Amino acid sequence: MTKDEVADALNEIGTLLELKGENTFRSNAYHNAARTIQQLPDDLKELIEQNKLGEIRGIGDALSLKITTLVTTGKLPYLEDLRASLPAGLVQMLRIQGLGPKKVKALYDTLQIDTIEKLKLACEAGEVAKLKGFGDKTQQKILAGIAHLDKIAGRVRIDLALGLGAALLEQVREFPGVIRSELCGSVRRRKETVADLDILVSSKDAQPIMDAFVKLPEVVEVLAQGPTKSSVLAAMHVHGEKVTMQADLRVVTDEQYPFALLYFTGSKEHNIRLRQRAIERELTLNEYALANEKKSVKCKDEAEIFKALGLEYIPPEMREDRGEIEAGEKKAIPVLIEERDIRGVFHNHTTYSDGAHTLEEMALMAKRLGLEYFGVGDHSQSLTIARGLPPGAVRKQWAEIDRLNKKLEGVQIIKGTEVDILEDGSLDYDDELLAGFDYVVASVHSVFGMTEEVMTARVCKALSHPALTMLGHATGRLLLRREGYKINLDEVLKTAAKYGKMIEINAQPTRLDLDWIHVKRAKELGIPIVINPDAHSTGELVLYKYGVQVARRGWLGKDDVFNTRSFAEVMKELKRRKQKVTA
Ligand code: DGT
Ligand code: CA
Ligand code: CA
Ligand code: ZN
């Protein structure tokens, strides 16, 4: 068993214990141990062989024994007994937003609800509202949570889908007889969530490729196997999270390949427009060819197909039928931003607030990634759960930054903050302190349950503050987990444009907010975009790459993104903005 699998098992034990009503101390011990194991630099097997598991903090004798059993036998009777002692539906119910183990247990104990379906019926009948500790509001929230689950059913975050997809593709590329191959579908378009993986291969002989594909180690179930198409269920751990997805593999001839690549990349809406254009030219476009009874247009790659349809090449991220066909016609497809264009980042956390690494460690990692500047954006004083900085700590941090900047070579730290937008739209530091930062990121972190009107007014008021440089994670959404707060983004964008403010693409793959549709709109309004990893550890700095993907989906070029500028240019612009404030 790998570390990830052991961590999964320990987390599951923790959750099952909570569902059984065990005290939180015991269940937390399992969750903490899971995290410890996952982050262990050493090999688990070796630790066990050397009898050193018990030396790790938080792993006592009982845990040590269970982990040893898991690693050496691949199973754990204790976990199996726990599972058998509770209905499986209870664990499923935990996926409902806002429903924790305590509430699930109460629902089971009082109303014998042990599936999501039963819970939905009970809510609709008004029975849940009557329970002690629930009430009307909670009942409504549960129903909304179930509706949200239905909507996201089976979708996976792009970072996880890409991880699994890339692992499969890498192996497929090594199969004998494979000529060209690619991940198509929503993954190739870098959509923020993905339903299934679409792998395309060209080869002279499909059969051996089909046979090898269904035997890949990640394959947990073969759903269908035909002469040129196979579907499997594949599973793997990506960044410590278990990902299970359907993956379809299709094999075509190398002549058909560009047409199949275009077709299976989608989107469906984009394909429909392309097919219409083919028809206007008395041709048929499908996954095999661009042809009619008399002729077949030879194309060696996608670019030649676009050309044959009178279009400039359209990058996959733009293929959503949002004006790209019209732009392609006018030869007005923008040169999209690339990862290597990013020269620094602004919104990041350190040990001063809720980050895992120090200022210096973060700055050095930024340098290792080839960045010229590292912008700090620790939390502000009101956000106590994230150890927000009181003014004294801010000044201490500034002094440390000055010291580090004298010492560090090849990277500069820029003084910033992620200041809370308070309930009334004011910022969480006074103007004097705010004026001491080089830049100010402002975000909403509390009181999410406002009406759209009130929330919009709150954020727009913040945008009118002279000290604000950029708006952080615009809706607070957590992909596939929590919908964003209600807010009129069009109004927010117009207000940002009016005051000349920047807006962040939060590159955390759990957020990717501002979403790409509004990113495109922001560009049309001339709003500068900033791509921020919102890193809470050195390992998260590189996440800016997912923000670049969103930027590309929103049609952004290098010049539309503020942090593609050099350190000198960035400081000049930040200074100019500050002078405007004091003038
Ligand atoms: P998803 O839901 O994240 O898997 O999104 P896609 O875009 O990967 O969708 P999928 O896997 O159903 O299909 C892959 C591509 O195949 C899709 O982007 C376009 C193409 N395709 C699928 N169904 C149709 C269709 O009915 N008409 C056309 N024109 N294209 C289709
Ligand atoms: Ca797909
Ligand atoms: Ca598919
Ligand atoms: Zn943050």
Side-chain angles (χ1 to χ4, degrees):
M1 245 191 189
T2 65
K3 279 181 214 163
D4 285 323
E5 286 164 336
V6 172
D8 280 352
L10 296 176
N11 270 323
E12 193 182 345
I13 295 174
T15 305
L16 292 171
L17 289 175
E18 282 176 84
L19 284 173
K20 286 187 87 90
E22 289 281 346
N23 70 37
T24 42
F25 180 76
R26 240 190 111 200
S27 54
N28 279 343
Y30 283 94
H31 290 305
N32 292 338
R35 210 170 318 124
T36 305
I37 294 290
Q38 215 165 34
Q39 291 167 356
L40 223 51
D42 319 86
D43 188 71
L44 255 186
K45 270 209 189 84
E46 271 173 33
L47 282 175
I48 290 170
E49 278 159 16
Q50 296 161 1
N51 224 343
K52 281 188 177 156
L53 254 191
E55 291 171 21
I56 301 167
R57 242 189 80 183
I59 313 254
D61 287 347
L63 262 163
S64 174
L65 202 65
K66 289 193 180 86
I67 295 169
T68 304
T69 312
L70 274 168
V71 174
T72 49
T73 70
K75 352 179 244 218
L76 183 62
Y78 174 73
L79 172 59
E80 283 159 25
D81 292 346
L82 256 183
R83 272 189 201 139
S85 71
L86 282 168
L90 297 189
V91 177
Q92 295 301 319
M93 283 162 67
L94 286 174
R95 292 174 55 228
I96 300 167
Q97 198 175 305
L99 207 58
K102 280 210 181 66
K103 283 213 163 70
V104 169
K105 184 177 183 315
L107 287 163
Y108 179 56
D109 289 345
T110 53
L111 297 174
Q112 287 76 53
I113 291 172
D114 57 6
T115 64
I116 295 178
E117 293 75 42
K118 282 187 201 168
L119 177 59
K120 193 172 172 205
L121 290 175
C123 284
E124 281 163 356
E127 289 167 22
V128 171
K130 284 183 227 152
L131 287 182
K132 196 176 143 229
F134 281 78
D136 253 336
K137 230 175 163 179
T138 306
Q139 181 171 279
Q140 272 170 28
K141 263 200 189 147
I142 292 174
L143 277 174
I146 294 173
H148 184 62
L149 263 193
D150 286 343
K151 210 170 77 190
I152 64 172
R155 295 198 75 85
V156 170
R157 274 178 6 227
I158 182 69
D159 58 320
L160 304 178
L162 255 177
L164 177 57
L168 295 177
L169 183 66
E170 203 176 292
Q171 299 173 83
V172 166
R173 282 197 169 146
E174 298 301 314
F175 293 167
V178 170
I179 306 167
R180 288 190 268 183
S181 58
E182 199 59 74
L183 282 172
C184 308
S186 48
V187 171
R188 186 163 179 240
R189 304 196 313 279
R190 300 294 191 259
K191 210 174 156 189
E192 54 274 70
T193 64
V194 172
D196 68 1
L197 299 168
D198 305 280
I199 307 171
L200 180 70
V201 162
S202 73
S203 173
K204 289 200 177 80
D205 189 5
Q207 196 57 52
I209 294 168
M210 290 289 126
D211 294 340
F213 180 63
V214 298
K215 288 197 197 92
L216 286 178
E218 289 79 9
V219 171
V220 289
E221 195 183 332
V222 180
L223 303 169
Q225 191 182 350
T228 60
K229 182 189 167 186
S230 293
S231 291
V232 301
L233 218 54
M236 186 182 122
H237 278 88
V238 183
H239 320 304
E241 273 185 65
K242 181 149 186 199
V243 193
T244 308
M245 293 182 82
Q246 180 174 330
D248 301 337
L249 175 74
R250 294 177 183 84
V251 181
V252 296
T253 67
D254 204 56
E255 210 178 328
Q256 294 168 337
Y257 182 82
F259 301 98
L261 179 63
L262 184 66
Y263 180 89
F264 290 112
T265 297
S267 67
K268 192 172 155 185
E269 293 72 19
H270 175 87
N271 287 354
I272 290 169
R273 292 289 306 275
L274 291 184
R275 209 158 47 212
Q276 281 165 351
R277 286 186 78 84
I279 292 168
E280 286 160 18
R281 286 164 175 72
E282 289 172 346
L283 289 161
T284 306
L285 175 66
N286 59 27
E287 60 265 57
Y288 306 114
L290 177 65
N292 58 26
E293 303 83 39
K294 282 175 252 147
K295 62 165 182 182
S296 177
V297 185
K298 295 264 168 296
C299 296
K300 69 174 187 322
D301 55 26
E302 282 184 327
E304 292 194 357
I305 310 177
F306 281 115
K307 200 167 166 206
L309 296 173
L311 297 170
E312 197 179 350
Y313 176 76
I314 301 171
E317 295 92 331
M318 290 177 65
R319 299 180 194 168
E320 298 289 346
D321 190 22
R322 293 222 154 230
E324 74 277 13
I325 308 275
E326 290 74 9
E329 213 164 46
K330 288 185 282 193
K331 312 277 183 267
I333 299 291
V335 179
L336 299 182
I337 181 177
E338 296 188 37
E339 254 175 60
R340 61 163 185 268
D341 294 329
I342 298 293
R343 294 172 79 167
V345 284
F346 289 100
H347 169 184
N348 303 290
H349 302 270
T350 70
T351 43
Y352 276 86
S353 68
D354 60 348
H357 294 102
T358 63
L359 258 179
E360 184 168 14
E361 287 167 335
M362 292 295 276
L364 287 174
M365 181 52 117
K367 179 179 164 182
R368 260 180 64 190
L369 293 171
L371 301 177
E372 294 169 30
Y373 45 95
F374 167 77
V376 196
D378 273 314
H379 290 291
S380 61
Q381 53 192 353
S382 290
L383 205 63
T384 45
I385 47 161
R387 307 202 294 124
L389 273 58
V394 170
R395 294 207 169 81
K396 202 174 132 222
Q397 189 180 53
W398 289 345
E400 188 185 349
I401 293 173
D402 289 338
R403 258 196 326 275
L404 283 170
N405 276 342
K406 283 201 195 98
K407 183 176 106 175
L408 290 171
E409 272 170 43
V411 69
Q412 288 290 298
I413 305 176
I414 311 183
K415 292 170 192 163
T417 176
E418 183 187 22
V419 71
D420 257 46
I421 299 176
L422 300 177
E423 195 172 347
D424 65 356
S426 63
L427 302 184
D428 191 25
Y429 288 132
D430 64 30
D431 290 356
E432 196 205 328
L433 192 69
L434 287 173
F437 292 102
D438 293 318
Y439 68 91
V440 171
V441 187
S443 323
V444 169
H445 285 112
S446 60
V447 203
F448 286 8
M450 295 178 154
T451 63
E452 180 179 309
E453 212 184 341
V454 177
M455 185 61 92
T456 306
R458 173 182 180 186
V459 171
C460 289
K461 181 176 167 200
L463 283 168
S464 77
H465 195 296
L468 183 146
T469 319
M470 57 188 82
L471 178 67
H473 42 72
T475 73
R477 74 172 177 186
L478 292 177
L479 283 168
L480 307 177
R481 284 201 353 242
R482 177 180 84 198
E483 278 182 293
Y485 34 79
K486 295 186 183 67
I487 190 163
N488 183 340
L489 277 180
D490 274 329
E491 198 63 42
V492 169
L493 294 186
K494 276 188 213 139
T495 308
K498 177 175 148 196
Y499 292 109
K501 305 298 188 179
M502 308 184 198
I503 296 191
E504 142 185 305
I505 293 175
N506 189 294
Q508 285 277 337
T510 49
R511 293 185 181 267
L512 299 181
D513 168 18
L514 198 62
D515 69 89
W516 62 273
I517 291 178
H518 288 94
V519 166
K520 184 162 181 278
R521 175 106 184 91
K523 174 178 174 162
E524 287 157 12
L525 289 167
I527 298 167
I529 295 289
V530 191
I531 297 174
N532 282 328
D534 193 358
H536 287 70
S537 64
T538 51
E540 285 186 0
L541 273 168
V542 71
L543 295 181
Y544 66 79
K545 65 183 176 188
Y546 298 107
V548 173
Q549 296 175 359
V550 173
R552 288 173 64 87
R553 285 177 64 77
W555 295 36
L556 302 193
K558 184 180 164 187
D559 293 340
D560 301 316
V561 177
F562 184 57
N563 47 327
T564 62
R565 300 198 201 175
S566 70
F567 174 68
E569 287 169 321
V570 157
M571 289 314 285
K572 198 174 144 200
E573 172 61 17
L574 294 177
K575 207 169 264 167
R576 188 189 69 80
R577 283 172 179 256
K578 280 180 67 171
Q579 272 158 3
K580 230 172 70 189
V581 175
T582 46

